[in-house]
Amino acid sequence: MGSAAKAALVAAVALVAAGLVGANFRDDCDITWEPQNAKMDEGGNHLTLSLVSNSSGCMLRTKKQFIFGSVSTRIKLVKGNSAGTVTTYYTSSIGDNHDEIDFEFLGNETGQPYTVHTNVFADGIGQKEMQFRPWFDPTADYHNYTIFWNECMIVWFIDSIPIRVFRNYSAKGVPFPTRRQMYAFSSIWAAEDWATQGGRVKTDWTKAPFDAEYRDISLRICDCADYGAAGCPASCASPSNWYAAPDLCKLSDAQLRQMRAVQLGYTIYDYCTDAKRYNGTVAPECSMPQY
């Protein structure tokens, strides 16, 4: 196989999360909040997280911490009237000035579409939100949600389609997560004060429990346990790692066309166009190429 073919193969495997790597929820994760509201079956490959009251949801966290790589899972969101509920899949460090990369799924009234909420925090600085309407019914079947992260960029994928890119402009003063070890999290929780139509629509607790289902988990990561906490950042930055391949510092032309189509047709909020929020200006990275 030639170098071009190898690069194409690496890109295909890495960016579309085509193959799982043997991880499962039972063996590779811990329930860190309200374990009585989690259920695992099928040998740990199927997970249900339940929201039963406005103070009792559920959270799962990977046992491994990592810097860079690809994490993905398949999710079937809460059916019916899911107003006020938030289902998540995200990565986050622990401690002050944290780093975080978010998928959050904001519920809605029966018959109304979910909101797919994305965000990134670096050095504790967030407010980088983009929101989308899904082009499918996320409650009818499972869909794959992937976060890809390297030193060049972060990419959010749904069913192998990129929906957003956030590039590394730390050299120009834009915080980007490159130093803090992260876990991957899944959770469901109550947020009726803001989640659905700005908090105007409240949760119908007579419909509880609200169940979100997950299948499979892929962790193609630089595992910090392989090096120890002190060595993880330096080792994971090595250009020999799969996610550091030059082809993985940008989207392919086909991926770029896919992303532009999604953003044109399904974006409902972009912080880069919200000058009112920033007193007539926008964040500096909004004037820098992201693609």
Side-chain angles (χ1 to χ4, degrees), residues 153 165-169 259 271 285-286 288-291:
M153 63 182 183
V165 172
F166 187 84
R167 296 202 68 81
N168 183 354
Y169 285 112
M259 184 177 67
Y271 77 105
E285 67 271 15
C286 295
M288 303 173 187
Q290 293 294 326
Y291 316 131

Side-chain angles (χ1 to χ4, degrees), residues 76-133:
K76 182 163 63 174
L77 297 177
V78 175
K79 293 180 179 292
N81 187 345
S82 57
T85 71
V86 178
T87 304
T88 74
Y89 185 63
Y90 65 101
T91 68
S92 182
S93 65
I94 304 298
D96 296 336
N97 300 320
H98 80 297
D99 297 339
E100 184 174 328
I101 307 167
D102 291 336
F103 264 121
E104 295 186 332
F105 308 96
L106 314 184
N108 215 327
E109 298 174 280
T110 302
Q112 300 299 313
Y114 264 78
T115 295
V116 179
H117 177 98
T118 66
N119 199 4
V120 56
F121 290 78
D123 299 334
I125 298 172
Q127 297 186 335
K128 315 287 187 185
E129 302 95 338
M130 286 189 69
Q131 295 182 336
F132 307 85
R133 293 288 189 225

Side-chain angles (χ1 to χ4, degrees), residues 28 61-68 71 92-95 149 179-185 219 221-229 232 236:
D28 296 282
R61 187 181 78 183
T62 57
K63 296 183 182 204
K64 294 180 178 179
Q65 290 179 285
F66 54 92
I67 290 183
F68 306 134
V71 297
S92 182
S93 65
I94 304 298
W149 170 38
R179 298 184 295 110
R180 294 177 180 84
Q181 302 169 186
M182 295 208 211
Y183 294 97
F185 293 83
L219 303 173
I221 55 175
C222 188
D223 181 0
C224 294
D226 290 344
Y227 308 102
C232 182
C236 290

